[in-house]
Amino acid sequence: MENEWTHDESEACDAMILAPPPVRRSNGRTINGHSEILWTFKVLMNDYMASSEKLAIVGSCESLGNWQLSGSVLMSKDEDSDIWIVEVPIPRDRTVAFRYFVCAVDPCTEKNLVRRWETSMALRQITPADQEPSAECHDVFGVVNGVEKVDRGWLSSETIVQLKFFNAPFSWKQRMKKRLMYIKVTPMNLRIPVYGTDSNNLLAGSIAPLEDSLSNDTHDTRENGGDCGLAFSFSEVVTLTPDDSLIQPQPQFGTKCGAEDLVIFHLTIGDFENTAYLIDLYTYSSKAGDDEPPHHVGYHYVLPNLFKMSEGRLEVPITCASKHRPMGMMQFGYLLVKPTPSLGLDMSVSYTRYWNKKWTGLDVGHRGSGTSFKTNDISIRENTITSLKNAAEHGADMVEFDVQLSKDLVPVVYHDFMIYVSLKSKSNLEENDFLALPMRELTLQQLKNLKVYHTAEGKSRSSRSFQNDDMLEHQPFPQLADVLDAIDPHVGFNIEVKWSQRLHDGTMEEEFEHVIDRNLYVDCILDVVFRKAGKRRIIFSCFDPDICTMLRFKQNRYPVMFLTIGDSVKYQKFMDPRGNRIETAVLHSLAMELLGIVAHTEDLLRDPSQVNLAKERGLIVFCWGDDNNSKTTIKLLKDLGLHAIIYDKMDVLTSKEVKQSVFLLQAKESQNELLKLQALEMGKVWHHTSPASSSSSSNNSSTSSKA
């Protein structure tokens, strides 16, 4: 599959000039007089589809759902081929755009779930002039204008459960310690029918949960719901290795989980509350032949009530498969990703892996105009509306800033997890003594009203003053909603979602454990962005790989990038290994279909070849770090082919002659192209009407002369 950002199509789309669609023809039958026509859609599916997956279509007219998933139309497979067909009435007085997608129908809710979908910026189109094709004519799923672009779907009503087995997390008795284990995870139905008295309706009574009566016999419950279909699910897995970094269906006897392996089970669950997870462990005998099955070592049922939060770690016993007695322990992390109900997503466009090839070496203002507490030569407070505006005025293509939640769940722009508040002088306390607090412990109103100090001020017991500190747009803690309103819409946003992680030594970045659930945290931020963003270019980023995963699968519009520490002497490594090396970050980004990585420049300067490590896999690469605050380094990074460099002091370090964002310049180019097209059309109109006009003018002139 080709990479989205490498095609000329991106230029055409930004200029609002799409390549002409393939010619389509109707079957000639009309309904409702001449206002609609019954159109036959045919598409060839060359890829593997699960038994419960179907092809569907969605588009820009009412009969195709007006881009809403709920209004999409299921297709039927031809018995003798891999072609899917459906007839749908469409308008004949306008162009109809549409996409194909692979869906599954949840048997409990009867809702469509998007498994994967066409995400080409060039839409399939049917124009009023299109006529009947030959019987052999059909589309090919995922391929538009000769380019294949298909992405995984997003959450609408289902839940994603990820189980993370990193570095063979097993504790065994001595005889098992050297065995290589293979793990398989199967979602299991926890509901059984309670039969009523109606002999004609075996389910007349009810459907009851049965968490406490699971048998150790692993064959008595079937995947995908048994008789009632309530454990509707898709069981997939990815191992983060250079040779295997895509989410795929599980092998029959599990996935290898060795001492160096990072294995993530990706489970799509229809009925989360009533689904358990059977973890089976297999191992192969050293004397076994290639065609011999493995030995079933043990198993464990994980019930849904063990998932207390959206993220956590579990340690569970391993039950012997033959003797049904405990024989060891295993540890694994879990992540629950749930849909964000307030977003109102449609299928008209997706930028999740879109990048115009003209966008290279972009200038991104770090916290707006720069970090204001590391040096004394920045006169504007960081992460304020004024700081962001100042960077934009000096030509920033994008501005990067940090977002986290106040105690009352309002997204605000601020970098540090901790703040300091001033204490009133009592007894022997110094007048300017400070109290350290997590920022999340204060409401928005408290953050606005209290005299709050930055961490650097609190630790040094001295405050900094900045230019026009009393003016509203110079104040810290601006709301994300206000920032989206205040900054020129042609300036892109790199929104870093702050989330405190556990460090390699076991401590937390923030000192305190999280009290807010991850899903709620991310939902609050997404809700504001989707209400306020308009047509602005937005990229999300985060150092936490699971937050990146949530941002990716909760929405289908904006791209997500994985921030990495890399090989660094300046910062501690995280306990989660995925962001501690650029190579591992690349693999995680590929697995979760992120746009790319934001690498630490310290690591890139140590080994510049890592830039191509990401780019050759089709990923976009930004970079961050104090090393970027040098014109020489910025030029070097641009010469290496980085797509964007995040740095301080845009007014001093930028080399731009025209102080405008690339998105504004492209918008102007697009406008010029449209004006040229309009001028050409006007020229055609003038050409066709000029003889009559000349004749009329001549007649008028003659009449005037006679008068």
Side-chain angles (χ1 to χ4, degrees):
M1 188 176 298
E2 298 187 54
N3 305 317
E4 297 234 3
W5 63 274
T6 59
H7 302 297
D8 292 338
E9 167 206 39
S10 58
E11 300 172 29
C13 291
D14 282 317
M16 298 177 66
I17 305 171
L18 299 177
V23 174
R24 301 176 175 281
R25 302 176 185 272
S26 75
N27 58 14
R29 291 176 287 170
T30 62
I31 57 177
N32 274 346
H34 299 287
S35 62
E36 290 184 332
I37 190 167
L38 195 62
W39 195 273
T40 301
F41 294 90
K42 294 193 291 185
V43 58
L44 172 66
M45 168 53 81
N46 288 320
D47 299 331
Y48 166 80
M49 292 179 66
S51 59
S52 55
E53 292 180 334
K54 298 179 180 293
L55 272 177
I57 185 172
V58 67
S60 62
C61 61
E62 185 175 355
S63 58
L64 292 178
N66 286 323
W67 295 119
Q68 297 298 312
L69 175 61
S70 58
S72 58
V73 180
L74 292 177
M75 307 181 75
S76 299
K77 186 177 181 298
D78 179 71
E79 293 182 357
D80 301 323
S81 69
D82 291 322
I83 292 178
W84 291 70
I85 304 172
V86 69
E87 288 187 337
V88 181
I90 62 170
R92 291 304 287 150
D93 57 350
R94 60 187 172 92
T95 297
V96 174
F98 65 97
R99 301 180 188 276
Y100 297 112
F101 66 98
V102 177
C103 74
V105 182
D106 188 324
C108 295
T109 64
E110 297 185 350
K111 292 182 178 179
N112 291 349
L113 315 180
V114 181
R115 298 286 296 144
R116 50 197 184 275
W117 64 309
E118 297 180 331
T119 54
S120 171
M121 298 297 287
L123 296 169
R124 300 183 185 274
Q125 295 184 21
I126 302 169
T127 71
D130 292 340
Q131 298 178 10
E132 187 173 2
S134 65
E136 293 78 21
C137 182
H138 57 73
D139 298 316
V140 178
F141 177 75
V143 180
V144 180
N145 295 337
V147 179
E148 184 179 7
K149 295 182 180 178
V150 176
D151 285 337
R152 297 182 72 88
W154 67 97
L155 296 176
S156 52
S157 60
E158 68 276 34
T159 298
I160 288 175
V161 177
Q162 289 193 345
L163 304 183
K164 299 169 286 185
F165 290 80
F166 292 169
N167 310 120
F170 310 110
S171 300
W172 298 103
K173 294 179 180 179
Q174 189 64 36
R175 66 184 180 87
M176 298 295 297
K177 285 186 176 180
K178 295 183 179 179
R179 290 290 186 95
L180 177 61
M181 289 295 150
Y182 289 73
I183 305 173
K184 185 172 184 180
V185 180
T186 306
M188 310 295 286
N189 180 20
L190 285 179
R191 287 181 179 253
I192 62 170
V194 177
Y195 300 113
T197 56
D198 184 354
S199 60
N200 295 321
N201 183 2
L202 295 179
L203 299 181
S206 63
I207 300 293
L210 189 67
E211 288 192 356
D212 297 327
S213 62
L214 281 174
S215 168
N216 285 332
D217 180 359
T218 61
H219 299 287
D220 67 353
T221 311
R222 296 183 306 190
E223 186 177 2
N224 281 343
D227 294 331
C228 302
L230 293 175
F232 174 73
S233 63
F234 292 90
S235 305
E236 298 168 294
V237 66
V238 60
T239 303
L240 302 185
T241 66
D243 298 326
D244 180 19
S245 55
L246 299 177
I247 297 174
Q248 301 176 14
Q250 291 187 71
Q252 180 182 1
F253 295 113
T255 300
K256 178 174 71 72
C257 190
E260 302 298 323
D261 292 325
L262 304 179
V263 181
I264 301 174
F265 291 89
H266 186 91
L267 314 170
T268 304
I269 308 298
D271 184 13
F272 171 75
E273 298 296 333
N274 295 290
T275 302
Y277 307 88
L278 172 60
I279 302 176
D280 282 309
L281 282 76
Y282 299 92
T283 190
Y284 287 86
S285 168
S286 59
K287 299 179 182 179
D290 293 339
D291 57 346
E292 292 186 40
H295 172 63
H296 187 198
V297 176
Y299 64 91
H300 182 86
Y301 282 102
V302 178
L303 300 180
N305 57 14
L306 292 181
F307 300 131
K308 303 299 183 184
M309 297 282 285
S310 291
E311 182 270 345
R313 289 192 63 79
L314 297 176
E315 183 175 19
V316 298
I318 302 169
T319 301
C320 178
S322 58
K323 299 181 179 179
H324 306 301
R325 295 185 300 196
M327 62 181 303
M329 302 291 290
M330 58 182 168
Q331 294 184 5
F332 56 89
Y334 70 85
L335 174 69
L336 311 180
V337 189
K338 299 187 176 183
T340 305
S342 65
L343 299 187
L345 301 169
D346 66 38
M347 301 179 70
S348 60
V349 67
S350 175
Y351 301 104
T352 54
R353 289 200 291 176
Y354 169 72
W355 192 260
N356 188 319
K357 68 178 184 179
K358 288 183 177 179
W359 302 341
T360 181
L362 301 191
D363 299 284
V364 183
H366 182 224
R367 305 185 199 175
S369 297
T371 307
S372 55
F373 290 95
K374 286 187 177 180
T375 63
N376 292 320
D377 60 347
I378 294 180
S379 60
I380 302 175
R381 184 185 291 271
E382 66 184 48
N383 275 333
T384 59
I385 289 177
T386 298
S387 182
L388 300 170
K389 280 186 173 181
N390 184 66
E393 290 166 0
H394 287 90
D397 299 303
M398 306 183 77
V399 287
E400 181 271 350
F401 54 86
D402 312 277
V403 172
Q404 48 189 314
L405 299 188
S406 62
K407 187 176 182 179
D408 49 348
L409 306 183
V410 178
V412 296
V413 177
Y414 197 73
H415 176 268
D416 288 26
F417 294 114
M418 302 295 292
I419 57 173
Y420 283 78
V421 295
S422 179
L423 293 174
K424 198 171 182 180
S425 178
K426 284 185 179 180
S427 184
N428 295 328
L429 291 176
E430 296 291 333
E431 183 178 353
N432 287 329
D433 209 355
F434 296 105
L435 174 66
L437 291 172
M439 195 224 77
R440 58 178 168 81
E441 289 301 317
L442 296 180
T443 66
L444 176 64
Q445 204 60 41
Q446 290 170 330
L447 291 169
K448 298 284 188 182
N449 293 338
L450 289 174
K451 182 63 176 176
V452 178
Y453 296 88
H454 188 269
T455 304
E457 296 174 300
K459 290 180 177 179
S460 66
R461 294 299 192 264
S462 61
S463 61
R464 283 277 310 276
S465 59
F466 294 95
Q467 172 186 323
N468 299 320
D469 239 0
D470 294 332
M471 297 181 65
L472 181 61
E473 291 192 346
H474 291 254
Q475 294 292 309
F477 312 109
Q479 294 183 58
L480 175 59
D482 293 339
V483 170
L484 284 160
D485 285 340
I487 308 302
D488 186 324
H490 292 104
V491 177
F493 280 4
N494 176 5
I495 301 176
E496 180 186 338
V497 176
K498 300 292 289 185
W499 185 266
S500 175
Q501 289 192 77
R502 193 171 298 280
L503 299 172
H504 196 264
D505 62 6
T507 62
M508 293 292 292
E509 284 185 284
E510 187 193 352
E511 298 183 27
F512 303 97
E513 297 285 348
H514 290 287
V515 294
I516 184 173
D517 186 82
R518 279 180 187 252
N519 275 287
L520 176 59
Y521 188 92
V522 173
D523 288 350
C524 290
I525 295 171
L526 288 176
D527 179 72
V528 171
V529 170
F530 272 77
R531 283 191 292 107
K532 292 284 189 175
K535 296 182 179 180
R536 187 189 302 276
R537 299 286 183 180
I538 289 177
I539 291 174
F540 291 108
S541 62
C542 188
F543 281 104
D544 186 288
D546 288 335
I547 293 288
C548 289
T549 298
M550 299 178 89
L551 288 164
R552 165 61 182 86
F553 288 109
K554 279 177 170 286
Q555 52 89 36
N556 66 357
R557 186 177 304 172
Y558 299 114
V560 182
M561 301 186 75
F562 185 15
L563 271 157
T564 67
I565 292 290
D567 189 352
S568 172
V569 297
K570 299 178 182 179
Y571 298 97
Q572 285 192 59
K573 291 187 180 299
F574 295 120
M575 182 168 286
D576 190 312
R578 287 174 285 178
N580 291 337
R581 294 172 55 236
I582 286 180
E583 181 182 11
T584 313
V586 165
L587 298 176
H588 177 72
S589 299
L590 289 170
M592 299 302 131
E593 294 194 350
L594 307 183
L595 179 66
I597 64 169
V598 186
H600 189 191
T601 300
E602 177 191 353
D603 198 7
L604 293 181
L605 295 177
R606 180 188 61 82
D607 182 6
S609 68
Q610 295 180 106
V611 176
N612 287 331
L613 177 69
K615 292 179 65 177
E616 287 171 358
R617 303 297 293 269
L619 295 179
I620 303 306
V621 186
F622 288 17
C623 66
W624 68 279
D626 293 338
D627 295 299
N628 289 357
N629 297 324
S630 156
K631 287 188 175 182
T632 302
T633 304
I634 292 171
K635 183 179 184 305
L636 171 64
L637 294 168
K638 290 185 177 184
D639 290 344
L640 285 173
L642 270 83
H643 298 93
I645 297 92
I646 303 169
Y647 59 90
D648 295 340
K649 296 186 285 190
M650 186 67 59
D651 55 336
V652 175
L653 297 177
T654 183
S655 59
K656 279 187 174 183
E657 294 182 3
V658 179
K659 310 297 184 184
Q660 294 179 343
S661 80
V662 64
F663 308 118
L664 176 59
L665 294 175
Q666 287 188 341
K668 290 180 177 179
E669 290 176 6
S670 300
Q671 186 63 30
N672 290 337
E673 292 292 337
L674 289 173
L675 291 174
K676 288 179 183 178
L677 288 174
Q678 290 174 357
L680 289 172
E681 290 299 321
M682 290 297 293
K684 291 178 182 177
V685 172
W686 179 86
H687 177 74
H688 288 302
T689 60
S690 57
S693 299
S694 298
S695 174
S696 174
S697 175
S698 174
N699 291 337
N700 289 339
S701 175
S702 176
T703 302
S704 176
S705 175
K706 289 179 181 179

